Amino acid sequence: MFFVAGARNTAGSGRGNERRTIYQKFREVDILDKKKTVTALKPGEDRAILLGLGMILSSVMMYFVLGITILRSYADSVWTEEGVCIVLNSTVTADMNCSYSCGSDCWRISRYPCLQVYVSVNNTGRVSRLSHNEETRDASSECFYVPRCQKDSTAMHAMILNISERLKANQQVPCYYDPSEQQEMTLLIRLYDHSAVFHSLLWPSCTLAGGALIIMMVKLTQYLSRLCEEIGKLKT
């Protein structure tokens, strides 16, 4: 009986050792798979963080470029109030000289008609000269519009006459003026209005938000991975 019981105990302990050995093998395989997954995730996480940082850096550079171009011109503009201008007079006064390129180190002279437009702002009796935008005002303080200089002066003349006829037909046009009245001239349009500033800042803002969101998602994934690993250790 003693030998039989001893044989049974030996067989039972052998099965237990075999079960523990199989469990240890499965456990090692599971740990190895987790290590492989973590190792595979690390390069992807690094690339995602680099992508997010690149998007943030590019958005900062775009903000800088916009700040010294569009935003600066928008902030320096004194024509901030929008009103209604009644066209009082629209006439061609004289021909103005301009130069166009005819090749490398070659410039020739052409002529375009100078259109002068006088308007009354908001029916206040204030008469001022109307200009197309800030660039036209800087190029010529007398003419409403300065066309791109070209060899065919007849085409430029026809363009200016067409603009004059349209202004006479409309009579009332939206315009921008200086509320402090330091600038007597009014503008038909602004180079950079509220809509232009909004759309110019929209894409850099979206890029900045997207880069920050990518980094936050990677950090959240890393945190959840460590949390799951700690929970797994507590269960074992």
Side-chain angles (χ1 to χ4, degrees), residues 152-180:
D152 190 1
S153 59
T154 305
M156 292 190 291
H157 193 274
M159 181 191 303
I160 297 298
L161 289 180
N162 186 23
I163 294 174
S164 178
E165 293 299 326
R166 288 188 178 183
L167 290 174
K168 290 178 181 178
N170 291 330
Q171 288 295 317
Q172 292 186 357
V173 293
C175 59
Y176 295 90
Y177 64 95
D178 180 12
S180 63

Side-chain angles (χ1 to χ4, degrees), residues 190-205:
R190 296 180 64 184
L191 283 176
Y192 307 113
D193 55 1
H194 300 286
S195 177
V197 173
F198 171 77
H199 286 95
S200 63
L201 294 177
L202 177 62
W203 297 113
S205 301

Side-chain angles (χ1 to χ4, degrees), residues 17-18 23 57 79 86 156 159-160 170 182 191 198:
N17 292 331
E18 184 179 356
Y23 174 75
L57 181 60
W79 295 276
I86 300 175
M156 292 190 291
M159 181 191 303
I160 297 298
N170 291 330
Q182 295 180 359
L191 283 176
F198 171 77

Side-chain angles (χ1 to χ4, degrees), residues 97-138:
N97 292 329
C98 65
S99 58
Y100 65 93
S101 176
C102 56
S104 179
D105 297 331
C106 175
W107 294 91
R108 291 183 180 178
I109 303 298
S110 184
R111 298 176 69 85
Y112 68 91
C114 179
L115 175 64
Q116 290 186 351
V117 181
Y118 290 91
V119 295
S120 175
V121 182
N122 292 336
N123 288 324
T124 58
R126 173 191 168 188
V127 179
S128 63
R129 187 177 293 168
L130 183 66
S131 184
H132 184 243
N133 54 30
E134 291 92 341
E135 285 185 350
T136 305
R137 186 255 177 189
D138 294 336

Side-chain angles (χ1 to χ4, degrees), residues 59-71:
S59 64
V60 171
M61 294 177 63
M62 285 189 287
Y63 278 131
F64 176 75
V65 173
L66 292 173
I68 62 177
T69 54
I70 296 178
L71 295 181

Side-chain angles (χ1 to χ4, degrees), residues 71-84:
L71 295 181
R72 184 176 179 180
S73 299
Y74 176 80
D76 292 341
S77 179
V78 297
W79 295 276
T80 56
E81 291 293 330
E82 185 175 1
V84 177

